[in-house]
Amino acid sequence: MILSFGAKNFWSFKDGFDISFELNSKVPKDISMGRSTSSVIGVKGANSSGKTQILKALDFFNYLGHRTFIANRESLYVESFFDNDDPVELYIEFETKAIRYTYEIELTKKEILRETIYKKKSRKTPIIERIKNQITKRTSEYSDLDLISLKPYASLINTVPNFKLESIGNDIENIYDYFGNIIGNVGARGALSDAEIYCYKEASQYYSDSPEALEFTTRIINKCDPSITRIDILDRTNEKGDREFFPIFYCDDIQYSKNWLTIYDLSDGTQALFKRLTQYWNVLLTGGVLVMDEFDTHLHPELLPILVDLFTDRNTNQKDAQFIFTSHNLEIIDHLGKYRTILVDKVNGESYCYRLDEIPSEVIRNDRPISNLYREGKLGGVPKL
């Protein structure tokens, strides 16, 4: 689970931001669900306030772990505040396989300046540090790192798995795997459209290979459209001779000879659910992190808490998966409460953010709606129209 992450000089955040998932003893039990770390965080704010930039930081860790060790790379896909020359700094503190890690990196578009991995048992200890293309600090179990050549554009996390090092610890592999399980609809340039990342044929093949995932999706779609009681995945051979998969949605209570629909007969919202829920299922199954920008697009407001509660309910979230999202829906704040809501604002082109429980005020209480306070502009993060 992510405990906290942040960045400095990253996109519109000049002085930086820190997002904490940690919950203290003051958090009510119906919010914490007995966890010391939240499984959901919602990010609110006006258009262009910087909400998506926060999510980009998480996608950037996936990028560092899996998409930098590429031949002929000439730059790193990172943006500083108004493209200034100072380095960008990012960090993430997380726990995986019962081990707590902190990963820090400083870089520019031209090179990685510093990369440090800390491991915490009884205390936080640096186990590997890289300054530019040199390993400057390492524990004895990582002596084989001396055998590899680092590149200015490739992270350690993405470089090491490409070498067959016989005597090396499991920490880099653990971090590599964890960063690979940060998925969603956010890329280097912002939110990706459904058409860019979701395909009903690929989703159908996923469901064909995973009947449990199909059952999961059918239950949720049935809540959205009770007439749909069953989804079958069929296959056919296309004109190229390839096998492709497609869904049929059955309405078993319809008393006609035709009681089924194709995906093209469905609303945009139901189509979106069918495709997007593959990622929800995958993250819940692996204990990963789902990063969704405007996750409410095409979806009815009353469906949103159902999706959020997939992560708060221990029955559906047994692997401590996490969900961080942005949304323009207002009422979702009341569902999240002040401990799980981040507000983002911007002044003179610079973004800043804060968790609602950081506001020193008795106005915000867990037993009162927060949305009215937000609507009235008492909490910040609203458009200045």
Side-chain angles (χ1 to χ4, degrees):
M1 296 186 79
I2 297 175
L3 305 175
S4 64
F5 72 98
K8 184 178 180 181
N9 195 32
F10 183 75
W11 289 88
S12 60
F13 286 90
K14 180 184 178 183
D15 287 338
F17 66 85
D18 295 281
I19 304 295
S20 175
F21 284 80
E22 294 190 85
L23 305 173
N24 60 33
S25 58
K26 297 179 181 179
V27 179
K29 289 285 194 294
D30 62 334
I31 296 293
S32 68
M33 300 297 179
R35 294 183 172 105
S36 61
T37 306
S38 179
S39 55
V40 296
I41 288 286
V43 183
K44 291 284 296 178
N47 289 103
S48 300
S49 59
K51 302 185 301 297
T52 304
Q53 322 298 13
I54 291 173
L55 303 191
K56 284 181 186 177
L58 285 176
D59 173 72
F60 197 73
F61 292 115
N62 178 287
Y63 166 73
L64 286 168
H66 291 257
R67 293 175 276 156
T68 59
F69 191 82
I70 298 174
N72 302 318
R73 178 177 291 283
E74 296 181 354
S75 64
L76 288 155
Y77 298 132
V78 66
E79 294 289 340
S80 59
F81 181 75
F82 281 92
D83 206 26
N84 69 67
D85 294 330
D86 293 335
V88 174
E89 302 175 26
L90 297 103
Y91 83 91
I92 183 170
E93 185 178 6
F94 62 98
E95 186 173 300
T96 182
K97 299 181 181 178
I99 304 171
R100 181 174 293 196
Y101 294 101
T102 301
Y103 175 84
E104 297 178 352
I105 191 165
E106 295 180 27
L107 70 165
T108 66
K109 289 181 181 179
K110 297 179 180 180
E111 63 179 337
I112 294 171
L113 302 175
R114 179 180 69 87
E115 191 175 9
T116 309
I117 299 170
Y118 299 86
K119 184 175 179 179
K120 184 175 181 180
K121 291 183 178 179
S122 58
R123 61 189 179 88
K124 181 178 173 181
T125 305
I127 57 172
I128 305 172
E129 184 168 73
R130 163 232 191 124
I131 303 295
K132 294 195 173 183
N133 294 335
Q134 299 294 321
I135 300 294
T136 56
K137 185 179 296 183
R138 58 163 177 76
T139 55
S140 58
E141 63 184 319
Y142 286 101
S143 59
D144 277 7
L145 289 180
D146 299 340
L147 303 175
I148 68 174
S149 177
L150 295 175
K151 298 179 180 180
Y153 304 123
S155 73
L156 264 172
I157 307 302
N158 200 184
T159 298
V160 173
N162 289 277
F163 292 84
K164 296 181 179 179
L165 302 179
E166 295 182 0
S167 178
I168 196 168
N170 296 323
D171 299 305
I172 290 179
E173 181 182 355
N174 290 344
I175 299 171
Y176 175 88
D177 291 343
Y178 190 80
F179 285 0
N181 284 328
I182 301 175
I183 64 174
N185 69 347
V186 179
R189 295 298 172 184
L192 303 171
S193 68
D194 281 3
E196 290 179 278
I197 54 175
Y198 305 111
C199 170
Y200 83 87
K201 294 178 182 178
E202 292 177 356
S204 297
Q205 183 170 353
Y206 184 92
Y207 291 129
S208 178
D209 294 336
S210 178
E212 289 183 341
L214 180 61
E215 181 183 352
F216 164 82
T217 293
T218 302
R219 286 199 306 269
I220 296 174
I221 286 180
N222 177 254
K223 292 179 183 292
C224 178
D225 185 349
S227 67
I228 297 174
T229 55
R230 179 165 51 100
I231 305 173
D232 284 355
I233 304 298
L234 307 180
D235 66 277
R236 62 193 168 204
T237 302
N238 64 22
E239 62 275 6
K240 296 180 180 179
D242 298 326
R243 187 185 181 196
E244 62 181 23
F245 297 82
F246 62 96
I248 295 294
F249 301 81
Y250 286 93
C251 307
D252 289 332
D253 294 334
I254 302 297
Q255 302 301 313
Y256 289 94
S257 57
K258 178 187 174 182
N259 67 338
W260 52 269
L261 302 168
T262 71
I263 195 165
Y264 300 109
D265 298 319
L266 305 178
S267 68
D268 289 343
T270 307
Q271 289 188 42
L273 276 175
F274 178 79
K275 292 180 283 190
R276 294 177 195 170
L277 283 171
T278 57
Q279 288 191 323
Y280 283 76
W281 173 261
N282 187 48
V283 166
L284 289 166
L285 189 67
T286 61
V289 182
L290 182 62
V291 183
M292 296 291 286
D293 196 26
E294 297 187 13
F295 90 113
D296 53 322
T297 303
H298 299 308
L299 302 180
H300 191 279
E302 297 208 5
L303 180 62
L304 306 184
I306 293 173
L307 297 177
V308 170
D309 288 349
L310 292 171
F311 292 83
T312 59
D313 188 336
R314 286 189 177 275
N315 293 318
T316 51
N317 185 9
Q318 299 180 14
K319 299 286 186 67
D320 289 330
Q322 290 173 299
F323 183 25
I324 180 168
F325 60 85
T326 70
S327 170
H328 286 296
N329 176 268
L330 191 56
E331 287 70 25
I332 197 66
I333 297 179
D334 296 329
H335 188 72
L336 293 170
K338 65 180 181 179
Y339 299 101
R340 301 182 299 191
T341 301
I342 303 291
L343 280 190
V344 186
D345 218 333
K346 181 184 280 187
V347 176
N348 297 327
E350 183 176 351
S351 298
Y352 61 94
C353 66
Y354 44 93
R355 206 167 79 176
L356 284 185
D357 61 313
E358 296 174 10
I359 297 176
S361 172
E362 293 300 319
V363 175
I364 304 177
R365 289 173 42 176
N366 285 314
D367 58 348
R368 294 178 182 174
I370 300 173
S371 56
N372 290 335
L373 298 173
Y374 176 78
R375 186 183 288 109
E376 294 166 4
K378 294 181 179 179
L379 306 178
V382 294
K384 297 175 175 62
L385 304 177

